[in-house]
Amino acid sequence: MKFPLSLILFGFWLFASTGASPAANVKSYTIPSTNRSRIRSRQTSSSKLVFCHFMIGVVSDRTSSADFDADMQRAKSLGIDAFALNIGTDSYTDTQLGYAYESAANNNMFVFISFDFNWWDAASDAAAVGAKIAQYASLPAQLHVDVDGTSYVFASSFAGDGLDIATLRSTASADGFPDVYFAPNFHPGVGDLSVIDGALNWLAWENDGDNKAPQGGVVVTVTEGDQEYESTLSTTQGYIAPASAWFSTHFGPEVTYSKNWVFPSDLLWYMRWLEILELQPPFVEIITWNDYGESHYIGPLSSPHTDDGSSKWVNDMPHNGWLDMAKPFISAYKAGASSPNSYITSDEIIYWYRITPKDLDCDSTDTTMVAANNDTGNYFEGRPDGYDTLADDVFVVPLLTAAGTITVNTGAMEYTFDAPAGASAFSVPFEVGAQSFTLARNGGEVMSATSLKVIQDTCPCGIYNFNAYVGTVPEGTRDVLGADGLTLLTNGLKVACDPTPSLPATPPASTPATATSSATAAPTSSAV
């Protein structure tokens, strides 16, 4: 059964281009004009919603709703409307769902359940899914969407193609909730999208069409994924467009869920938000708040959680700057604007980079240099599969109230470029050593900072670490893993590595520049 969803669905074709630069190695990015399809809408842009995927599976150690409060407050302050609570079938699931729903209600946030079909069974669990939806549907923080004057309980999933939707609906109805808006992560050509109310596209990264980084000349862009979903869904069904900043995972045989690959990420976070401003989908889902194991967390390290073994590459690697970058884009998206520039109220530089060159040889000490269970096909020995799709660059997104000059000193190589007012993006090749950033106007320095994390030519904890370090100018609040999030750091390591946060209290000394280069930024706002 389908319901008419009164929301905008835009189809589009969008490409990212690398602008020509007077300095060979300095890249700037621009979005060319696109054509939007015209689909009549009966609902205002204020109805658009932003979700963020939240992994309940890593928060089994939370002891009250108060443990969720900081997450709820932080997300709400950014314009995120609801957490999609990813659940398996663990013994603690209901306890933590109860805490999350209570905290959301206390903080004027919303939540909904997202069933993870790594643990639920699409062939046999339809009734259980319907019953679980009904179990939480009446709680104050449950997200509902209005469809032609009727309030529907919102629910979603990760995977689940083949789930018996009729049984799900009849079970929820028997429990008192006949109106369920189910928008799962079904896949065009695999699941039957005609029987659901909307669909989530999980693939927020360029890929090869088979859940790996592009290879063999096969590149499926995120935009092409958008188009496939929108061509499959009817105009009365809601599309949940994905947005993610990164993907890197590096689990070896020390765990049962061994997997080791990356997706192209680099400037993805910036470029994807520009695409979303063009697409203007009814829903956006950020992937994720706290999936540390796949390195696409945008939430704080300090958010209480257990360690699945990912602390090896997560310790000392905060991502909070990505939250800052998203805020004006979220505001622009909800307003139907094509640019975030009007929503930038203070100067900030967001930067990120990997902490080692990709050709650094860690084979003698890495945890993945031996065979492991590879039933999923996701385990590769050594450097993560797809590593060569990433650039050894420092990525910089200035959010400026007025035009200024940005200087990046990366290991004594200094790059200077002019940044326009608003949001823009640049990348420069990184060098081993300290990383420093400065904003100047009219010949005077406005602000500057040196990152707490150097780029190194040694293997961190002996492993290949393809996670990103994210920083800001001005510097943000110190963010570190708690004790529970560090318990498995040494598991499987071949070298000594202290399982404690180790970023210095003060940054290292910047390195005087021995060479310089300059470039003029191309326009980076989406077409107005």
Side-chain angles (χ1 to χ4, degrees):
M1 181 177 184
K2 294 185 294 183
F3 303 96
L5 175 65
S6 304
L7 289 167
I8 299 173
L9 286 175
F10 285 127
F12 79 116
W13 189 267
L14 185 64
F15 295 93
S17 69
T18 301
S21 166
N25 292 330
V26 179
K27 304 177 206 140
S28 56
Y29 298 82
T30 183
I31 294 291
S33 177
T34 63
N35 293 316
R36 301 183 184 184
S37 64
R38 307 296 189 212
I39 298 177
R40 183 177 302 170
S41 170
R42 295 171 292 164
Q43 190 156 346
T44 66
S45 61
S46 62
S47 300
K48 289 177 289 189
L49 298 174
V50 176
F51 312 139
C52 191
H53 210 78
F54 187 103
M55 309 299 291
I56 291 294
V58 299
V59 298
S60 61
D61 56 340
R62 297 191 177 190
T63 59
S64 73
S65 64
D67 288 340
F68 284 85
D69 286 348
D71 295 314
M72 298 293 175
Q73 294 161 8
R74 185 76 174 271
K76 185 175 177 64
S77 72
L78 296 165
I80 294 171
D81 299 289
F83 277 128
L85 302 175
N86 177 291
I87 65 167
T89 55
D90 303 288
S91 60
Y92 55 81
T93 295
D94 281 319
T95 298
Q96 297 301 331
L97 280 179
Y99 293 154
Y101 270 83
E102 181 181 351
S103 175
N106 291 340
N107 291 286
N108 297 313
M109 265 284 282
F110 293 97
V111 292
F112 60 89
I113 296 174
S114 180
F115 295 87
D116 191 329
F117 280 90
N118 281 318
W119 312 107
W120 296 82
D121 188 339
S124 60
D125 280 344
V129 169
K132 187 65 69 178
I133 293 171
Q135 181 181 345
Y136 291 89
S138 62
L139 295 182
Q142 169 64 47
L143 178 70
H144 290 73
V145 292
D146 181 88
V147 182
D148 289 347
T150 299
S151 178
Y152 287 81
V153 177
F154 198 96
S156 187
S157 78
F158 172 76
D161 296 288
L163 186 71
D164 185 341
I165 304 302
T167 297
L168 179 158
R169 296 192 191 283
S170 64
T171 303
S173 181
D175 288 343
F177 295 94
D179 301 318
V180 174
Y181 190 95
F182 193 52
N185 171 221
F186 284 11
H187 301 79
V190 180
D192 183 0
L193 273 63
S194 70
V195 298
I196 57 179
D197 309 301
L200 164 66
N201 174 11
W202 184 263
L203 276 176
W205 315 270
E206 283 190 349
N207 61 89
D208 68 348
D210 192 28
N211 200 41
K212 296 294 181 298
Q215 57 184 315
V218 179
V219 181
V220 180
T221 67
V222 187
T223 295
E224 288 170 329
D226 292 331
Q227 293 170 335
E228 184 176 20
Y229 272 88
E230 292 204 319
S231 66
T232 304
L233 295 168
S234 74
T235 57
T236 63
Q237 293 173 294
Y239 175 52
I240 307 177
S244 189
W246 206 258
F247 188 105
S248 173
T249 187
H250 195 65
F251 289 107
E254 73 277 4
V255 297
T256 58
Y257 34 88
S258 305
K259 55 184 182 179
N260 182 28
W261 89 95
V262 302
F263 282 122
S265 299
D266 290 355
L267 263 175
L268 172 66
W269 189 232
Y270 175 82
M271 302 303 290
R272 181 55 177 163
W273 277 107
L274 288 178
E275 292 177 355
I276 285 169
L277 295 188
E278 288 291 332
L279 179 61
Q280 292 291 328
F283 308 117
V284 173
E285 186 156 325
I286 296 169
I287 303 171
T288 61
W289 186 261
N290 64 341
D291 193 337
Y292 304 98
E294 294 183 349
S295 306
H296 44 60
Y297 55 96
I298 63 166
L301 301 179
S302 58
S303 179
H305 65 278
T306 56
D307 186 11
D308 57 3
S310 61
S311 58
K312 296 176 183 62
W313 56 88
V314 170
N315 190 32
D316 298 334
M317 302 288 272
H319 288 178
N320 294 310
W322 282 335
L323 288 172
D324 293 357
M325 198 215 84
K327 186 173 183 179
F329 282 92
I330 291 173
S331 296
Y333 158 69
K334 289 186 175 183
S338 60
S339 166
N341 293 357
S342 298
Y343 303 91
I344 295 170
T345 58
S346 60
D347 292 324
E348 186 174 15
I349 301 170
I350 295 96
Y351 61 85
W352 60 92
Y353 49 83
R354 289 179 295 99
I355 61 172
T356 61
K358 62 185 178 184
D359 62 357
L360 180 67
D361 187 349
C362 302
D363 281 2
S364 64
T365 56
D366 186 71
T367 55
T368 67
M369 292 304 298
V370 295
N373 185 330
N374 196 23
D375 290 344
T376 64
N378 292 329
Y379 181 70
F380 300 84
E381 294 183 19
R383 291 181 182 87
D385 182 68
Y387 80 94
D388 55 344
T389 65
L390 304 178
D392 283 350
D393 284 1
V394 177
F395 304 98
V396 185
V397 173
L399 303 176
L400 303 183
T401 58
T405 299
I406 306 294
T407 301
V408 178
N409 182 328
T410 170
M413 180 66 197
E414 187 173 272
Y415 296 92
T416 302
F417 42 82
D418 295 327
S424 59
F426 309 89
S427 65
V428 299
F430 68 51
E431 302 289 342
V432 170
Q435 312 296 310
S436 300
F437 306 84
T438 301
L439 167 66
R441 290 195 184 100
N442 303 318
E445 181 179 303
V446 176
M447 59 185 185
S448 65
T450 298
S451 173
L452 296 177
K453 194 76 170 177
V454 301
I455 293 175
Q456 60 193 72
D457 57 3
T458 57
C459 304
C461 291
I463 69 169
Y464 290 110
N465 188 341
F466 279 74
N467 192 4
Y469 177 87
V470 185
T472 62
V473 184
E475 295 177 14
T477 303
R478 189 173 180 82
D479 178 33
V480 298
L481 287 172
D484 285 356
L486 287 159
T487 55
L488 296 181
L489 186 144
T490 62
N491 190 21
L493 290 183
K494 298 180 181 179
V495 301
C497 193
D498 194 10
T500 59
S502 59
L503 287 177
T506 57
S510 59
T511 308
T514 57
T516 61
S517 186
S518 63
T520 301
T524 52
S525 297
S526 56
V528 177

